[in-house]
């Protein structure tokens, strides 16, 4: 056995729920621990443990990310009423991702994981389309209310040290529902900067789209901040790099994206990015074929899988039935975090390990060994072989071993 590679700075680990928790452990045991010597600051975000700690553990995990800089997160349950009953929770706690993103701020970049034997659902897409999702505010940090019956809705804003200003919002003729969203200029500005930085470093065009025709203050406000920031600080750099910034109405962007070659960053508001990244991921094979990283303007990074806890597979697993769940996104969460740690620490051997593990995972799928979700979409070849959840990780471990030891 060769000497283990040392990861210099502590990594923050956020463990999760259900099927992804099971895969998470396998990934660590079979692909990471045999090769890496790492210090881990571990936070158990299992829904029961969040409940036991009144969600303090989620806040602590975000604080640890602020301290060390790089975190790796497993998928977690966002409790609803069913989950409250299922796990006997005190209440339907907030989404851990929401809590963490609200604390770290920033932008979530989601990029499909491409393999040679799976063609994207959209034939013109030749290069990956990356989503840049704003991670602050909007519907994820909203105020909602049921309006019981007819009445007047007014909004009061009191400027710090100033006079209250009251505005009539709506005369309700009957019962209804209400939602209040907000955002902060500073957060939108850092979203814009994160997207332009990403575009420049990856040498790809940056698209941004909102519903600015309808939402003339909110969505148009996003557009204006992007425009001002681009004109002031990025225009020349983009021209030199031969790339473009392009704003368009979201309807137009959705239609146009189907006809591009890909190879661009599509910046989207929080909700738009949430929804569109699932579309991009499944057009490229599976929700498990996508990487996701939260880049905070303060220089903190949180790597995660973009999919959920794969509940249906977990219930099969609990019944003792065989599952074929895909661990690609979880593996790429670890490699993304390790690569970033290596870059920040100046430890190229850690970067190399992350590259090698990713290559091993891609080669395994390209050799025809894959989970059920991918088998449906892959080029039909006689060598294709469906493996179960653990078999897939074992096959990657085999390839990794060969690549590292020759
Ligand atoms: P999900 O975990 O994203 O899975 C939805 C479906 O997508 C699965 O049933 C499966 O399809 C397919 N799929 C997703 N990931 C897969 C993988 N790794 N390998 C193979 N197939 C995969 O969503 P869910 O099951 O509806 O949600 C479960 C929980 O996840 C919810 O409690 C939700 O709150 C949480 N969630 C967490 C995050 C996060 O932490 N990042 C994000 C979204 C949702 P088939 O059944 O057809 O095989
Ligand atoms: Mg989503």
């Amino acid at each position: 056995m060769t000497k283990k590679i040392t990861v210099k700075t502590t990594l923050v680990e956020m463990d999760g729920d259900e099927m992804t928790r099971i895969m998470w452990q396998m990934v660590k045991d079979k692909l990471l621990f045999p090769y890496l010597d790492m210090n881990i600051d571990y936070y158990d975000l299992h829904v029961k443990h969040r409940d036991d700690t009144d969600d303090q553990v989620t806040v602590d995990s975000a604080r640890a990310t602020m301290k060390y800089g790089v975190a790796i997160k497993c998928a977690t349950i966002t409790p609803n009423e069913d989950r409250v009953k299922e796990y006997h929770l005190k209440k339907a706690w907030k989404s851990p991702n929401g809590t963490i993103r609200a604390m770290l701020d920033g932008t979530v970049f989601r990029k499909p994981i491409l393999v040679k034997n799976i063609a994207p659902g959209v034939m013109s897409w030749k290069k990956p389309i990356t989503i840049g999702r704003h991670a602050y505010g909007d519907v994820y940090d909203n105020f909602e209310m049921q309006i019981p019956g007819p009445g007047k809705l007014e909004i009061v804003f009191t400027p710090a040290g100033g006079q209250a200003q009251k505005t009539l919002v709506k005369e309700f003729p009957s019962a209804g529902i209400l939602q209040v969203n907000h955002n902060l200029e500073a957060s939108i500005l850092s979203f814009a900067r994160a997207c332009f930085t990403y575009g420049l470093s990856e040498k790809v065009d940056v698209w941004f789209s909102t519903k600015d025709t309808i939402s003339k203050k909110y969505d148009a406000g996003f557009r204006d901040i992007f425009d001002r920031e681009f004109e002031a600080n990025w225009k020349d750099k983009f021209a030199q790099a031969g790339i473009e910034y392009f704003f368009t109405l979201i309807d137009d962007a959705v239609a146009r994206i189907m006809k591009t070659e890909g190879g661009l960053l599509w910046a989207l508001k929080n909700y738009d990015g949430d929804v569109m990244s699932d579309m991009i991921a499944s057009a490229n094979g599976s929700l498990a074929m996508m990487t996701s990283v939260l880049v905070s303007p303060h220089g903190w990074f949180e790597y995660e899988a973009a999919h959920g806890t794969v509940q249906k597979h977990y219930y099969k697993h609990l019944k003792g039935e065989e599952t074929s769940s895909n661990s690609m996104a979880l593996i790429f969460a670890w490699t993304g975090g390790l690569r970033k740690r290596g870059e920040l620490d100046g430890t190229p051997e850690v970067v190399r390990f992350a590259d090698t593990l990713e290559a091993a995972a891609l080669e395994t799928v390209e050799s025809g060994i894959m989970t059920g979700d991918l088998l449906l979409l892959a080029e039909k070849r006689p060598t294709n072989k469906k493996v179960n959840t653990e078999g897939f990780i074992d096959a990657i471990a085999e390839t990794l071993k060969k690549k590292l030891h020759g």
Side-chain angles (χ1 to χ4, degrees):
M1 196 71 208
T2 41
K3 203 167 156 282
K4 287 189 184 181
I5 300 164
T6 304
V7 181
K8 204 163 136 195
T9 307
T10 300
L11 273 168
V12 179
E13 176 187 349
M14 305 167 174
D15 208 344
D17 288 301
E18 299 194 314
M19 203 62 209
T20 42
R21 186 179 179 96
I22 291 169
M23 292 193 268
W24 192 252
Q25 192 62 47
M26 290 178 188
V27 167
K28 289 192 290 179
D29 289 342
K30 293 173 191 261
L31 304 176
L32 304 173
F33 291 158
Y35 304 104
L36 300 173
D37 190 2
M38 23 181 195
N39 231 335
I40 285 178
D41 194 10
Y42 176 86
Y43 294 86
D44 187 0
L45 302 195
H46 186 284
V47 68
K48 198 66 194 149
H49 190 236
R50 278 181 271 145
D51 192 60
D52 288 343
T53 61
D54 291 340
D55 215 18
Q56 185 59 38
V57 65
T58 307
V59 173
D60 291 345
S61 75
R63 291 225 174 95
T65 310
M66 296 168 172
K67 178 171 172 196
Y68 293 111
V70 180
I72 300 157
K73 181 180 171 293
C74 185
T76 46
I77 290 171
T78 297
N80 55 16
E81 276 173 38
D82 291 342
R83 298 301 205 159
V84 170
K85 283 193 210 114
E86 181 181 357
Y87 287 93
H88 309 287
L89 306 178
K90 292 173 206 158
K91 65 177 214 185
W93 299 100
K94 278 191 167 181
S95 151
N97 291 321
T99 303
I100 294 165
R101 286 173 199 154
M103 289 176 68
L104 303 183
D105 196 358
T107 305
V108 180
F109 292 101
R110 291 192 168 159
K111 184 175 180 182
I113 303 168
L114 302 187
V115 284
K116 294 194 186 95
N117 47 338
I118 298 178
V122 178
M123 277 159 60
S124 65
W125 291 355
K126 305 275 183 266
K127 294 177 238 163
I129 293 171
T130 303
I131 299 276
R133 170 184 171 189
H134 188 209
Y136 179 83
D138 299 355
V139 68
Y140 301 86
D141 195 9
N142 69 0
F143 169 80
E144 297 192 349
M145 187 178 154
Q146 274 176 331
I147 303 287
K152 196 161 55 168
L153 177 74
E154 290 170 326
I155 199 159
V156 179
F157 179 71
T158 313
Q163 282 282 314
Q165 300 158 4
K166 191 155 65 172
T167 313
L168 174 69
V169 176
K170 181 90 192 160
E171 297 268 9
F172 270 80
S174 57
I177 41 184
L178 165 78
Q179 183 181 80
V180 180
N181 289 346
H182 82 278
N183 224 295
L184 300 174
E185 280 188 12
S187 177
I188 301 168
L189 184 59
S190 76
F191 169 41
R193 286 181 178 152
C195 291
F196 294 139
T197 305
Y198 185 97
L200 202 58
S201 75
E202 299 286 313
K203 299 265 179 303
V204 290
D205 288 350
V206 176
W207 288 23
F208 182 41
S209 55
T210 68
K211 193 76 176 172
D212 63 323
T213 48
I214 301 296
S215 168
K216 290 187 165 47
K217 294 235 163 52
Y218 202 97
D219 280 27
F222 273 80
R223 180 200 63 205
D224 293 346
I225 289 172
F226 266 68
D227 278 352
R228 278 201 301 274
E229 174 62 16
F230 182 73
E231 287 295 321
N233 298 315
W234 301 87
K235 203 175 175 177
D236 296 343
K237 292 178 200 152
F238 268 50
Q240 271 166 23
I243 55 173
E244 282 181 5
Y245 168 60
F246 171 59
F247 176 87
T248 189
L249 183 68
I250 189 160
D251 315 39
D252 183 46
V254 167
R256 277 178 193 243
I257 206 95
M258 295 298 167
K259 297 183 186 128
T260 65
E261 273 208 339
L264 57 93
L265 172 72
W266 189 8
L268 290 158
K269 286 170 53 202
N270 211 343
Y271 171 81
D272 301 338
D274 183 356
V275 178
M276 290 303 169
S277 64
D278 284 354
M279 183 194 74
I280 301 277
S282 50
N284 285 288
S286 156
L287 293 178
M289 296 301 276
M290 176 160 263
T291 63
S292 180
V293 55
L294 173 73
V295 179
S296 134
H298 314 286
W300 307 314
F301 299 84
E302 186 231 311
Y303 292 81
E304 50 160 24
H307 59 74
T309 59
V310 214
Q311 183 180 10
K312 276 194 226 139
H313 295 205
Y314 180 61
Y315 290 163
K316 271 175 80 176
H317 168 83
L318 288 182
K319 279 195 265 170
E321 291 170 27
E322 186 158 83
T323 56
S324 183
S325 318
N326 187 342
S327 45
M328 282 298 252
L330 297 175
I331 294 169
F332 275 68
W334 277 100
T335 52
L338 285 165
R339 182 182 296 108
K340 181 53 74 182
R341 203 54 281 169
E343 286 167 9
L344 295 172
D345 290 345
T347 48
E349 61 280 13
V350 175
V351 176
R352 242 181 342 259
F353 176 81
D355 290 344
T356 311
L357 175 48
E358 284 184 6
L362 297 173
E363 277 173 34
T364 303
V365 176
E366 287 173 352
S367 77
I369 300 174
M370 58 189 99
T371 44
D373 54 333
L374 299 184
L375 200 75
L376 294 169
L377 306 148
E379 255 172 49
K380 305 285 172 260
R381 290 193 204 143
T383 45
N384 281 2
K385 186 178 160 206
K386 178 177 167 179
V387 281
N388 64 25
T389 306
E390 186 160 18
F392 184 58
I393 296 170
D394 285 337
I396 297 172
E398 252 331 283
T399 316
L400 178 65
K401 202 193 276 171
K402 281 194 204 119
K403 289 180 94 66
L404 289 170
H405 300 308

